[in-house]
Amino acid sequence: MAEFTMELNDEQKEVRDWLHGFAADVIRPAAAEWDEREETPWPVIQEAAKVGIYSLDFYAQQYFDATGLGIPMAMEELFWGDAGIALSIVGTGLAAVGVLANGTEEQIGTWIPQMYGDADDVKVAAFCSSEPDAGSDVASMRTRAVYDEAKDEWVINGTKTWATNGGIANVHVVVAVVDPELGSKGHASFIVPPNTPGLAQGQKFKKHGIRASHTAEVILDNVRVPGSCLLGGKEKLDERLARAREKAKKGGERVKNAAMATFEASRPAVGAMAVGTARAAYEVALDYAGTREQFGRPIIDNQGVAFQLADMRTQIDAARLLVWRASWMAVNGKPFTAAEGSMSKLFASETAKKVTAQAIQILGGNGYTREYPVERMHRDAAIYTIFEGTSEIQRLVIARTISGMPIR
């Protein structure tokens, strides 16, 4: 077990500086263009693939970093560059985590490489959980998977929404109901391979922020996938469902569902994304406050501005520490006895919204224009309190965890 530390080692610092350079030289100069175009920035993703950032090997190295700091460090630097483009680069990771959290070794080895492709033929993947009537309330999920024993195939029908890379992905990971009577405990995750008949992109959403990241509905109409595409395998699923039925009869403890396992693993990473966006806005505001003069002196000489910057920096550092703690705990098998993963996402995402709003205020009229990046950063920051569990859901998870109440 790695000791918890707030100091990056030399190798981590080297990776951080490399990522920061890519974010500064490649991502940030392209940010405004792709935000306006509201399209997937394939050239930037391909450039990330060429240098090794968009690759299974890179994310595996960070994911298995014994300190737990590899992923949050990478997320912070990339999202410091731009949230929309960075999400296009890392969005595949959520689907990969879904396979890592629920799949067998064979499934991991087979499907995750196909999610990324290679530098000459870049691919993306999508994790499909939310539905039009089931976002935070995963128990209301309606997408159904029915087993066809004669053909050893699963037949999936339903509509998913808010799917990053939905419809344009090479591989889709779909969460579906296999036993409606068990509610959220009756869910399972499935791989939908490339070019599977019946899967189609629905509405592509035009969003307030992260506009360079593709978000769309995914329609599943009698989609048939082989039995081998059930993550974890049928034997494991049958055992889990049997335990859930028995505990339901006894009113016993909860069983973790497939979507929740993925979100628990990814929440600190989302917190790190928020830290990156907040830090970027803070740095713009700090630089502006030191050079912008009013009444014959830099505006940072005014306490009203200086105190805002002091609070911004304090909140960013506090958010990073919560993210690092949760990431270290997750990698080292420490249970989130006080919902530390949700704490990190909650505080970091709320900090990003607040800090980016303060940055606009410090820049005044300039901050409200697209000539400066803080208005885009503020639009981007709004998503952190919504996706992968709203702030309200994080508070609910924290409250129920510390009180001993069940999390449904």
Side-chain angles (χ1 to χ4, degrees):
M1 179 186 298
E3 293 295 326
F4 179 68
T5 176
M6 294 181 288
E7 181 68 28
L8 299 177
N9 60 41
D10 290 342
E11 182 178 351
Q12 290 169 326
K13 289 177 182 177
E14 184 177 342
V15 173
R16 178 199 62 191
D17 294 344
W18 172 53
L19 291 169
H20 186 80
F22 183 85
D25 298 339
V26 180
I27 294 178
R28 188 164 281 192
E33 174 190 351
W34 291 99
D35 178 72
E36 291 287 346
R37 291 175 64 168
E38 299 191 53
E39 298 174 359
T40 300
W42 290 108
V44 183
I45 299 174
Q46 187 168 33
E47 190 65 27
K50 286 180 179 177
V51 300
I53 293 174
Y54 186 77
S55 70
L56 172 60
D57 288 345
F58 173 74
Y59 285 105
Q61 289 173 10
Q62 305 315 310
Y63 187 84
F64 291 110
D65 181 340
T67 69
L69 302 185
I71 289 294
M73 175 192 65
M75 295 299 122
E76 179 176 340
E77 294 304 327
L78 293 173
F79 280 74
W80 172 90
D82 175 68
I85 292 178
L87 191 56
S88 289
I89 293 173
V90 308
T92 293
L94 184 58
V97 168
V99 177
L100 284 169
N102 300 294
T104 65
E105 289 186 9
E106 182 179 356
Q107 289 169 330
I108 291 169
T110 298
W111 295 111
I112 293 183
Q114 295 186 50
M115 293 179 174
Y116 289 95
D118 56 47
D120 296 322
D121 187 20
V122 170
K123 305 293 185 184
V124 294
F127 182 75
C128 307
S129 177
S130 293
E131 298 183 2
D133 296 318
S136 298
D137 182 11
V138 294
S140 297
M141 190 177 294
R142 294 180 181 177
T143 296
R144 185 75 191 277
V146 178
Y147 185 56
D148 183 343
E149 189 171 0
K151 295 184 178 180
D152 185 27
E153 292 179 339
W154 288 88
V155 185
I156 309 174
N157 283 281
T159 299
K160 295 296 183 179
T161 194
W162 309 121
T164 298
N165 297 329
I168 66 171
N170 193 48
V171 176
H172 291 76
V173 177
V174 176
V175 181
V177 179
V178 294
D179 188 333
E181 294 182 359
L182 291 175
S184 62
K185 302 175 186 68
H187 296 175
S189 292
F190 299 85
I191 293 286
V192 180
N195 304 313
T196 298
L199 185 147
Q201 178 183 311
Q203 175 188 5
K204 178 187 175 183
F205 296 104
K206 296 179 72 67
K207 305 187 299 296
H208 175 66
I210 54 167
R211 301 198 302 193
S213 174
H214 176 96
T215 310
E217 290 181 329
V218 174
I219 312 299
L220 301 119
D221 182 12
N222 286 322
V223 169
R224 284 182 169 268
V225 299
S228 60
C229 287
L230 167 64
L231 290 179
K234 193 165 188 306
E235 182 179 349
K236 182 178 178 181
L237 172 64
D238 289 342
E239 291 174 356
R240 177 167 65 81
L241 294 178
R243 290 196 305 271
R245 294 185 191 106
E246 186 63 27
K247 288 171 182 175
K249 290 179 182 178
K250 297 178 179 179
E253 60 189 285
R254 64 189 181 275
V255 177
K256 189 181 297 182
N257 66 69
M260 192 62 70
T262 300
F263 291 141
E264 284 183 0
S266 62
R267 276 171 179 159
V270 177
M273 298 173 188
V275 171
T277 299
R279 190 184 110 210
Y282 158 76
E283 290 177 0
V284 172
L286 179 64
D287 180 68
Y288 185 89
T291 56
R292 170 70 166 172
E293 291 192 0
Q294 291 286 279
F295 306 106
R297 59 179 183 176
I299 62 173
I300 199 171
D301 283 353
N302 298 308
Q303 280 190 352
V305 173
F307 284 9
Q308 282 194 77
L309 289 164
D311 287 342
M312 291 159 75
R313 176 58 185 267
T314 300
Q315 290 158 0
I316 291 167
D317 282 12
R320 183 185 297 109
L321 289 175
L322 283 172
V323 167
W324 282 18
R325 180 184 69 168
S327 300
W328 174 81
M329 290 176 68
V331 166
N332 287 281
K334 297 284 188 179
F336 288 164
T337 56
E340 287 86 352
S342 289
M343 281 186 186
S344 68
K345 181 188 181 294
L346 170 65
F347 190 81
S349 58
E350 293 291 344
T351 292
K353 281 185 66 174
K354 184 175 181 179
V355 165
T356 53
Q358 288 176 305
I360 290 177
Q361 192 68 25
I362 289 171
L363 269 67
N366 286 328
Y368 199 65
T369 71
R370 295 191 182 182
E371 295 299 313
Y372 288 79
V374 291
E375 67 85 26
R376 184 180 70 250
M377 294 168 182
H378 184 51
R379 287 189 284 109
D380 292 341
I383 194 60
Y384 300 126
T385 63
I386 298 172
F387 72 175
E388 293 198 49
T390 64
S391 287
E392 291 74 21
I393 288 296
Q394 304 309 321
R395 291 185 175 100
L396 185 63
V397 170
I398 295 165
R400 287 184 170 176
T401 302
I402 62 178
S403 68
M405 295 173 62
I407 303 172
R408 297 181 177 87

